[in-house]
Amino acid sequence: MMAHRNNSPIKRTIRRQQLREMVPLADSTIYEMEQRGEFPQRFALSPRCVVWDLAEIEAWLASRRSAPITRAPSPDVRQRRSRPVREPGPAQTSASKAG
């Protein structure tokens, strides 16, 4: 049997649908955050039923509310594979000014 992470008794668990109502993030985003340790870990009640500890989810939401959000860095458009943005060369700058 798996040990509970913070050894406190679990009072209430929620299933995926209830989690979606509380945390409007995509399932894949939640999964990736769990893998990085940035979101409360799910656990299995049965082979087909995973749940989250409601108290852990509420604590996570409260911590997010109090923490300032840092914006994700803007992607470097020069690294794009399709439609890469090139630095304007001397021919391009004079042609664009002529129009």
Side-chain angles (χ1 to χ4, degrees):
M1 180 150 175
M2 293 172 53
H4 195 257
R5 201 168 24 158
N6 57 6
N7 296 327
S8 66
I10 298 170
K11 293 182 174 50
R12 174 131 191 258
T13 59
I14 57 171
R15 295 185 70 169
R16 189 179 306 275
Q17 187 58 43
Q18 295 162 296
L19 180 72
R20 281 192 193 113
E21 291 168 9
M22 293 178 69
V23 182
L25 294 173
D27 289 351
S28 57
T29 302
I30 290 172
Y31 179 77
E32 288 167 9
M33 290 175 75
E34 278 181 287
Q35 298 305 303
R36 293 192 305 259
E38 298 171 6
F39 193 83
Q41 201 73 39
R42 70 187 78 191
F43 58 96
L45 289 182
S46 74
R48 293 177 56 96
C49 177
V50 295
V51 295
W52 287 261
D53 183 344
L54 179 61
E56 286 184 12
I57 299 301
E58 289 172 338
W60 180 84
L61 284 169
S63 72
R64 296 301 277 202
R65 185 177 295 154
S66 62
I69 296 293
T70 55
R71 287 187 65 93
S74 297
D76 185 358
V77 293
R78 293 169 301 205
Q79 300 295 320
R80 287 196 300 215
R81 290 197 183 109
S82 63
R83 301 185 311 114
V85 176
R86 307 240 189 272
E87 296 296 326
Q92 292 173 318
T93 54
S94 60
S96 62
K97 288 178 185 170

